[in-house]
């Protein structure tokens, strides 16, 4: 067994983000899909995320065959279909607890390069829900997300190619 391989079955793991809010090592992998689905996976040593048998939680090429994964494969915690106008998951960042209101604790923000949106992903147990966080950023936008110092707080910084190469920030 090759010791250098952490996990398999990822198509295009464009970005990973480490959670600064936990004492253990936890990270999410934003995996760019091919024809139908974009996905977010929890990084787990030895996991097989199913590419090219599966895309998102579905059989590759299907929007309806989305049941329990075959034995040995790990489903993403979140996936979304290209039919919503978004088709290239890019940046991701965990919101550092304590800087924004408590309702944002343990939340993850991710972006889609094509539709120019940021989404807020919150989990409860094994269920995750994504909602729009910021829209209208322009396509070719929000390729990289990171939180950084802003006065006494933290703001979300993101890179964009929309309107020229820029670094923008979002303050709470």
């Amino acid at each position: 067994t090759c010791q250098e391989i952490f996990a398999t079955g990822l198509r295009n793991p464009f970005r990973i983000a480490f959670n600064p809010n936990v004492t253990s090592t936890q990270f999410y992998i934003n995996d760019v899909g091919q024809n139908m689905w974009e996905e977010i996976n929890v990084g787990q040593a030895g996991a097989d995320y199913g590419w090219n048998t599966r895309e998102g939680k579905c059989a590759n090429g299907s929007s309806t065959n989305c049941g329990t994964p075959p034995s040995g494969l790990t489903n993403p915690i979140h996936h979304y279909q290209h039919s919503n106008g978004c088709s290239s998951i890019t940046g991701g960042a965990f919101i550092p607890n304590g800087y924004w209101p408590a309702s944002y604790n343990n939340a993850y923000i991710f972006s889609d390069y094509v539709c120019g949106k940021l989404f807020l992903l919150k989990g409860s147990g094994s269920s995750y829900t994504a909602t729009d966080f910021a829209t209208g950023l322009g396509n070719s936008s929000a390729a990289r997300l990171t939180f950084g110092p802003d006065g006494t707080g933290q703001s979300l910084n993101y890179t964009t190619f929309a309107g020229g190469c820029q670094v923008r920030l979002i303050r709470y």
Side-chain angles (χ1 to χ4, degrees), residues 54 56-59 62-70 75-76 79:
R54 294 174 69 79
K57 292 183 179 179
C58 302
S62 177
S63 63
T64 57
N65 183 2
C66 305
T68 303
N75 263 345
H79 70 153

Side-chain angles (χ1 to χ4, degrees), residues 13-112:
F14 191 75
R15 294 274 192 253
I16 62 172
F18 287 87
N19 188 345
N21 304 310
V22 297
T23 56
S24 61
T25 301
Q26 178 193 40
F27 65 97
Y28 287 178
I29 304 166
N30 291 356
D31 194 12
V32 177
Q34 183 171 3
N35 296 319
M36 288 196 155
W37 300 97
E38 304 298 301
E39 64 186 71
I40 298 172
N41 298 287
V42 174
Q44 298 173 342
D48 182 346
Y49 299 103
W51 177 258
N52 68 353
T53 303
R54 294 174 69 79
E55 184 180 6
K57 292 183 179 179
C58 302
N60 196 0
S62 177
S63 63
T64 57
N65 183 2
C66 305
T68 303
S71 179
L73 300 185
T74 302
N75 263 345
I77 58 169
H78 179 71
H79 70 153
Y80 61 93
Q81 197 170 11
H82 291 178
S83 61
N84 69 2
C86 298
S87 60
S88 183
I89 191 168
T90 48
F94 287 90
I95 299 173
N97 290 348
Y99 288 102
W100 288 15
S103 62
Y104 290 102
N105 283 354
N106 303 308
Y108 181 70
I109 296 178
F110 67 93
S111 59
D112 191 284

